[in-house]
Amino acid sequence: GLITVISRAQGPVDLYRFQRFASVKQRTMLAAEHPTCAWPGCNTPAERGQFHHLTPWSHGGETNVANLVTLCNYHNGINDDDPNAPPRRGRLTRDGGTVVWQPPHAH
Ligand SMILES: [Zn+2]
């Protein structure tokens, strides 16, 4: 199903490179998109997770909703953040607007 969040909140939706950590507004939007960790098969609630940059901050990723996803602490730790490092556990990415898991060695 789909969830629509309607609430007044101050501040921009996208923070670009001005701030590394997701704002309260972004966290609310991301929890609506993924009420649980976005890693396939994980049911850790979003409120117990972290907000992960799909394109890593260290590689120029922006703190924009389209570049963020909810992950639990464990899956945020094992996600293959560096696209130039040898693949180990796969990584999350957006494909056509949908967050998908990209297995190791996939392109
Ligand atoms: Zn998880």
Side-chain angles (χ1 to χ4, degrees), residues 21-85:
F21 297 103
S23 68
V24 172
K25 177 186 275 188
Q26 289 175 318
R27 292 168 188 263
T28 302
M29 294 172 71
L30 293 164
E33 181 183 18
H34 290 104
T36 60
C37 172
W39 198 274
C42 185
N43 294 316
T44 302
E47 61 268 18
R48 288 183 26 210
Q50 300 175 338
F51 296 91
H52 168 76
H53 287 82
L54 295 168
T55 298
W57 176 264
S58 61
H59 288 258
E62 297 176 328
T63 307
N64 294 352
V65 171
N67 190 42
L68 296 170
V69 68
T70 305
L71 284 180
C72 69
N73 299 355
Y74 174 73
H75 286 121
N76 197 18
I78 68 164
N79 185 75
D80 291 340
D81 289 345
D82 186 349
N84 302 319

